[in-house]
Amino acid sequence: MKDHPLTRFLPTLALFSAAMCAVPAGAQVAAPADPFAGDPTGIVADPCPSHGKVDWAVQHAYDQARDFGQLCRYRAANAALTERPRVVFAGDSITDNWINLDPSFFTHGLVDRGISGQTTPQLLVRFRQDVIDLHPRAVHIMIGTNDIAGNTGAAAMETVEGNIASMADLARAHGIRVILASVPPAGAFPWAKDKQPVPQIAALNRWIAAYARSNGFTYVDYHPVLATPDGAMKPGLASDGVHPTAAGYAAMRPLAEAAIEKALGR
């Protein structure tokens, strides 16, 4: 979700993507340009080998081809938990960055499970591992920015809504209280300059609010403290018009705390 200088990596990405595609049907072979050619494939005991740092574009191609949900990101951290979380915060980079800029918030049972750049289908893939299997009392779901930006391709609005509904329904089925958050404001996306996000953010948030209301879930709307009247981020509350600054998270925190109290007090 960050504004990555993708054009700088296009030759590398094209080479790696071509190598990943140059695999005969029904076979798995090592491609010469694939820096992860030695990684295991299929069903294995440890699907998350450690890697050295590589270009963002190469890592992105790896994630799309071999770890679409990025299940490896929190696998070790999940295993290391010794207590049941009170609330898991699930989402994209806006959640991923929250713990970095407001670490004191993620104490007393609040756990951050955001991953930068993710869309609703990616979060749905890892929802069991990163939320359900942790047995939290509640989950805070804030996702949708990158679907609108097109990070994993095109999708109908109904598909995005369905992915959010599936996560909420799965949580409820496992006795986890659901907090659905609004997609935060953005007047433009630095990494997807062709998009006009304001009307789609508004439409998705109307649906999220209505879905939460009709299902008895808690809805938290961050727009009153973050958004300008035209739907952009207020000056000083985002580093790039999308990602909150420390001041942005400080504005969000009381609303999140109130939503948690409401959800767990029911």
Side-chain angles (χ1 to χ4, degrees), residues 130-198:
D130 289 348
V131 179
I132 295 170
D133 288 351
L134 305 186
H135 308 290
R137 293 182 62 196
V139 60
H140 175 283
I141 301 171
M142 182 167 60
I143 193 77
T145 294
N146 294 315
D147 297 82
I148 295 169
N151 281 26
T152 51
M157 184 66 81
E158 292 79 10
T159 301
V160 176
E161 294 166 354
N163 290 335
I164 295 171
S166 293
M167 288 183 272
D169 292 348
L170 283 167
R172 175 170 53 189
H174 286 84
I176 301 168
R177 302 290 178 89
V178 177
I179 302 166
L180 292 178
S182 61
V183 176
F189 297 140
W191 68 98
K193 298 181 188 299
D194 61 315
K195 302 296 188 294
Q196 302 295 322
V198 171

Side-chain angles (χ1 to χ4, degrees), residues 70-95:
Q70 291 175 271
L71 291 159
C72 292
R73 166 71 186 274
Y74 288 112
R75 190 165 181 259
N78 290 341
L81 286 174
T82 58
E83 295 181 359
R84 176 190 183 191
R86 243 186 357 125
V87 185
V88 171
F89 279 65
D92 50 39
S93 63
I94 296 172
T95 299

Side-chain angles (χ1 to χ4, degrees), residues 25 61 65 115 128-129 157 196 266:
I115 296 183
R128 177 172 294 278
Q129 172 187 283
M157 184 66 81
Q196 302 295 322
R266 288 179 176 178

Side-chain angles (χ1 to χ4, degrees), residues 8-266:
R8 184 157 57 95
F9 297 122
L10 283 177
T12 303
L13 179 57
L15 181 61
F16 180 53
S17 298
M20 292 295 292
C21 293
V23 178
Q28 287 286 342
V29 298
D34 182 359
F36 307 111
D39 283 6
T41 58
I43 299 175
V44 297
D46 182 8
C48 299
S50 59
H51 299 129
K53 189 171 180 61
V54 297
D55 286 343
W56 176 85
V58 174
Q59 184 64 50
H60 179 70
Y62 173 89
D63 292 336
Q64 296 301 303
R66 296 188 179 177
D67 188 11
F68 179 71
Q70 291 175 271
L71 291 159
C72 292
R73 166 71 186 274
Y74 288 112
R75 190 165 181 259
N78 290 341
L81 286 174
T82 58
E83 295 181 359
R84 176 190 183 191
R86 243 186 357 125
V87 185
V88 171
F89 279 65
D92 50 39
S93 63
I94 296 172
T95 299
D96 198 356
N97 294 339
W98 199 334
I99 193 171
N100 298 324
L101 294 181
D102 188 8
S104 68
F105 182 49
F106 290 91
T107 56
H108 305 293
L110 271 59
V111 173
D112 190 317
R113 290 295 182 265
I115 296 183
S116 178
Q118 285 211 326
T119 56
T120 57
Q122 290 176 299
L123 182 54
L124 181 57
V125 165
R126 65 182 178 91
F127 197 77
R128 177 172 294 278
Q129 172 187 283
D130 289 348
V131 179
I132 295 170
D133 288 351
L134 305 186
H135 308 290
R137 293 182 62 196
V139 60
H140 175 283
I141 301 171
M142 182 167 60
I143 193 77
T145 294
N146 294 315
D147 297 82
I148 295 169
N151 281 26
T152 51
M157 184 66 81
E158 292 79 10
T159 301
V160 176
E161 294 166 354
N163 290 335
I164 295 171
S166 293
M167 288 183 272
D169 292 348
L170 283 167
R172 175 170 53 189
H174 286 84
I176 301 168
R177 302 290 178 89
V178 177
I179 302 166
L180 292 178
S182 61
V183 176
F189 297 140
W191 68 98
K193 298 181 188 299
D194 61 315
K195 302 296 188 294
Q196 302 295 322
V198 171
Q200 290 192 320
I201 289 174
L204 184 53
N205 284 340
R206 285 193 296 271
W207 178 87
I208 293 171
Y211 186 77
R213 185 168 55 249
S214 65
N215 285 274
F217 300 145
T218 299
Y219 176 67
V220 55
D221 184 6
Y222 293 114
H223 280 242
V225 298
L226 295 179
T228 63
D230 61 357
M233 275 276 195
K234 291 179 180 178
L237 298 188
S239 59
D240 58 357
V242 179
H243 298 89
T245 58
Y249 287 120
M252 294 168 66
R253 180 170 175 168
L255 299 182
E257 291 172 333
I260 292 168
E261 183 177 352
K262 180 179 179 181
L264 296 183
R266 288 179 176 178

